[in-house]
Amino acid sequence: MGQLIKEAEKLEHWTVEGETLIRHFSFDDFLAGIDFVQNVSAYSEGAQHHPYIIIDHTTITIKWTTVDKGKLTQKDLDAARACDQFYSH
Amino acid sequence: MGQLIKEAEKLEHWTVEGETLIRHFSFDDFLAGIDFVQNVSAYSEGAQHHPYIIIDHTTITIKWTTVDKGKLTQKDLDAARACDQFYSH
């Protein structure tokens, strides 16, 4: 197992499925979740690295992988940490 | 088959799967898709009727059903038409 996957598995609240990092974020109301999606989207566009996002009422699921490499990369770990920051602020 | 499902099946670009209306929307770039999600979200909050949304880079999938009724209702048809309006503007 690569060093990167080991590091990914240490990320609290995230799970590693194959080469994808996944976390479910819960919000008190729908629009709070949408605000979070806006922040994640702005980050994604800046990094030119876009996640798969599911909006299911007050639960937002974010999935990160590096499609053009076919695997998890440092960009995904950085992006997951950015999401955690947006969630805690 | 109910009148409502028949009406749903007539909606161009939407498919009916069981009691759910589904459409995939394509955009030229990521942020255009996010703007669309914002519009759909504002509508949803106003109607207090929220869709299941998948953001997969420049493809946005919207699914409407009425969870508390366990079936498709007039609210879903209205919401689907609202999405079409946001997409065409």
Side-chain angles (χ1 to χ4, degrees):
Chain A
M1 191 182 292
Q3 184 59 37
L4 200 108
I5 295 279
K6 279 188 199 165
E7 198 184 332
E9 289 184 337
K10 282 185 203 159
L11 286 176
E12 208 177 351
H13 307 297
W14 292 85
T15 56
V16 180
E17 285 186 18
E19 295 288 338
T20 303
L21 261 172
I22 303 171
R23 181 174 174 183
H24 306 288
F25 296 87
S26 292
F27 296 88
D28 289 338
D29 60 84
F30 177 70
L31 291 185
I34 297 300
D35 281 348
F36 173 74
V37 168
Q38 279 290 111
N39 286 333
V40 172
S41 298
Y43 172 89
S44 306
E45 191 66 6
Q48 278 298 299
H49 189 50
H50 303 95
Y52 187 93
I53 303 174
I54 298 170
I55 301 169
D56 188 5
H57 199 210
T58 55
T59 301
I60 311 291
T61 301
I62 305 280
K63 300 184 183 189
W64 290 104
T65 191
T66 302
V67 174
D68 56 351
K69 301 276 183 187
K71 64 178 184 177
L72 209 60
T73 68
Q74 187 62 45
K75 282 200 293 186
D76 300 305
L77 269 73
D78 294 345
R81 289 190 181 106
C83 289
D84 290 342
Q85 288 276 321
F86 292 131
Y87 190 56
S88 64
H89 287 172
Chain B
M1 190 183 294
Q3 184 59 37
L4 199 107
I5 294 279
K6 279 188 200 164
E7 198 184 332
E9 288 183 337
K10 283 185 203 159
L11 286 176
E12 207 176 351
H13 307 298
W14 292 84
T15 56
V16 180
E17 286 186 18
E19 295 287 340
T20 303
L21 261 172
I22 302 172
R23 181 173 174 184
H24 305 288
F25 297 86
S26 292
F27 297 88
D28 289 339
D29 60 84
F30 177 71
L31 291 185
I34 297 299
D35 281 348
F36 172 75
V37 169
Q38 278 290 112
N39 286 335
V40 172
S41 298
Y43 172 89
S44 306
E45 190 66 5
Q48 277 298 300
H49 188 50
H50 303 94
Y52 187 93
I53 303 174
I54 298 170
I55 302 169
D56 188 6
H57 199 211
T58 55
T59 301
I60 311 291
T61 301
I62 304 281
K63 300 185 184 188
W64 290 104
T65 191
T66 302
V67 175
D68 56 351
K69 302 276 184 188
K71 65 178 184 178
L72 210 59
T73 68
Q74 187 62 45
K75 281 201 292 186
D76 299 305
L77 268 73
D78 295 345
R81 290 191 181 106
C83 288
D84 290 342
Q85 288 275 322
F86 292 132
Y87 190 56
S88 64
H89 287 173

